[in-house]
Amino acid sequence: MNKQYRTGDQNWVRERNLAIVLNYLWEAGQPISRADLARTSGLNKSTVGSLLTQLQSWGLVKESGTSNQRPGRPGVLIDINPDAGRIIGAEIGVGFITVIVADMKAKVLWRRNVETTEAGKPLTELSQAEVLEQAEHLLQEAIAKAMTCDCRLFGIGLGVPGLVNHSTGTLLFAPNLGWRNVPFRDMWYQRFGVPVIVENEANAAALGEHVLGVAKQLDNFVYLSAGVGLGGGLVIDGKLYGGTGGYAGEIGHMTLEPEGPQCNCGNRGCWEMLVGPRAILQRVRQAAVEGRAPDLLARCSGNANAIQMEHVLQAAAQGQPAVLIALAEVGRYLGIGIANLINALNPKMVVLGGVLSAVSPYILPRAQYEVNQRALETAREGMQIKISAFQLDACVMGGVALILRGILNNPVIWQQKVAPISHLDEHSVFSATVL
Ligand SMILES: [Zn+2]
């Protein structure tokens, strides 16, 4: 027998009930009465009262107005306390770092994004040590901002563009950064003294959509994140699907063209080589070189290599045919890949984030056409393709969601100033059914 089962003593039942009450309060999204909370949760009123007193003593919930809906004494309403503490969401991407500070209701209070250093050198050209120094500097600023509320800092949720070992919080390999074995969790826990949860950026973003964004209450969906690479976060039966080692979701490396362009992973014709921003720029630059996009080329002083995504977006908005054709071609490959995912996973939704969300008006119609042509009708029935609620901030909001989910799923651990990070269950997506 390899499997360990945790038995349920009284403390365990109380821990679960505290989590359940907190989750119901979170999902209500507005102040609710003790009576409504008892009715929704199925717990009796006195138990709910005792659990709320405990949560209130930790500052996680607060009284918020009264209800006059029923005859008699007005009932006191309870809500999540936004000032229970602060949460930091961070992303180290390819060529940028983003850090945000949010309150307990996931409202963003502070945001910084750096793309280049003061010397004007792209971050991708910087050494790993230089990028880490820059990230730590931003985190120090964020922590200083978080501390102005005179409340606790719950932790840092970090998204990184690569494979993550969840039990150690180590970035194992980030192909597009060329980094290996960075022990972010231990490194930053020692440095900043707060819990750090590390997750692959697409997984983090998927969690962000599930907890805070367009995929709330959805138990089966796929998040597609296009940055320099193309990452995927799979939520299956209400949980982030990790596979045997936690490395599932590398859908950007599905082969779509056996003889296609060489990918950083070592394979050829990977999906991310055909639909990511690199693919878009390469197609548009090619069109410019061939004389099919003269206006665009003129705007870049005749240098096709100077064409960037912002130029592509402007040209697409003006309806320049060669650019629209290039984007439709990218939409075609996007749709082919999505059709494969639909046939394999039968998701309720596919969420597009990152750069794909910005170009979606130009690529989605063709992508949807391919899906209709190629995915099995039964598997795609009722399936929607939606744009991320947070677009370029999907990953940092996912970082916030990583910490928030930890608090909602186990408030007992998180009421301590510094949570014992080894106790975090880093893989289950929270929902009303936290058990
Ligand atoms: Zn690849």
Side-chain angles (χ1 to χ4, degrees), residues 97-115:
I97 303 165
T98 307
V99 178
I100 61 171
V101 176
D103 68 14
M104 177 71 183
K105 283 197 161 187
K107 181 180 168 195
V108 177
L109 307 170
W110 182 92
R111 180 184 187 276
R112 287 280 185 283
N113 171 273
V114 291
E115 293 197 353

Side-chain angles (χ1 to χ4, degrees), residues 253 263 265 270:
H253 299 287
C263 178
C265 76
C270 290

Side-chain angles (χ1 to χ4, degrees), residues 252-254 262-273:
H253 299 287
M254 291 194 298
Q262 181 74 45
C263 178
N264 280 345
C265 76
N267 188 16
R268 302 192 76 93
C270 290
W271 196 20
E272 76 171 40
M273 299 304 292

Side-chain angles (χ1 to χ4, degrees), residues 52-66:
L52 285 175
T53 304
Q54 180 84 80
L55 292 171
Q56 216 172 336
S57 74
W58 293 337
L60 293 175
V61 304
K62 63 170 191 173
E63 293 183 348
S64 179
T66 53

Side-chain angles (χ1 to χ4, degrees), residues 35-236:
D36 283 343
L37 210 43
R39 207 173 6 262
T40 337
S41 65
L43 295 164
N44 68 47
K45 274 192 204 172
S46 64
T47 304
V48 167
S50 152
L51 295 168
L52 285 175
T53 304
Q54 180 84 80
L55 292 171
Q56 216 172 336
S57 74
W58 293 337
L60 293 175
V61 304
K62 63 170 191 173
E63 293 183 348
S64 179
T66 53
S67 159
N68 295 314
Q69 282 178 346
R70 293 188 184 81
R73 208 152 48 96
V76 176
L77 299 177
I78 307 289
D79 198 4
I80 298 281
N81 178 11
D83 292 324
R86 298 290 181 251
I87 299 169
I88 293 178
E91 176 178 15
I92 295 184
V94 182
F96 68 92
I97 303 165
T98 307
V99 178
I100 61 171
V101 176
D103 68 14
M104 177 71 183
K105 283 197 161 187
K107 181 180 168 195
V108 177
L109 307 170
W110 182 92
R111 180 184 187 276
R112 287 280 185 283
N113 171 273
V114 291
E115 293 197 353
T116 53
T117 61
E118 283 169 301
K121 229 178 2 166
L123 276 178
T124 42
E125 291 176 18
L126 297 182
S127 70
Q128 183 177 324
E130 286 172 306
V131 175
L132 288 177
E133 192 185 324
Q134 193 122 358
E136 288 173 4
H137 178 72
L138 277 182
L139 284 171
Q140 261 157 355
E141 264 190 76
I143 290 168
K145 174 65 189 174
M147 289 308 169
T148 56
C149 86
D150 196 26
C151 57
R152 79 199 109 180
L153 173 58
F154 283 117
I156 300 167
L158 169 70
V160 286
L163 304 176
V164 172
N165 179 327
H166 296 95
S167 59
T168 61
T170 302
L171 168 65
L172 293 178
F173 178 45
N176 290 313
L177 285 174
W179 295 8
R180 284 180 189 274
N181 299 318
V182 189
F184 277 108
R185 188 186 73 183
D186 291 352
M187 198 168 76
W188 283 358
Y189 180 64
Q190 278 171 16
R191 173 108 192 219
F192 302 115
V194 291
V196 179
I197 303 181
V198 187
E199 184 53 277
N200 165 271
E201 58 92 19
N203 279 349
L207 184 70
E209 298 296 341
H210 189 70
V211 177
L212 308 164
V214 295
K216 274 185 197 167
Q217 313 292 336
L218 289 190
D219 282 343
N220 290 286
F221 71 95
V222 176
Y223 178 87
L224 279 182
S225 158
V228 170
L230 180 72
L234 312 177
V235 172
I236 296 176

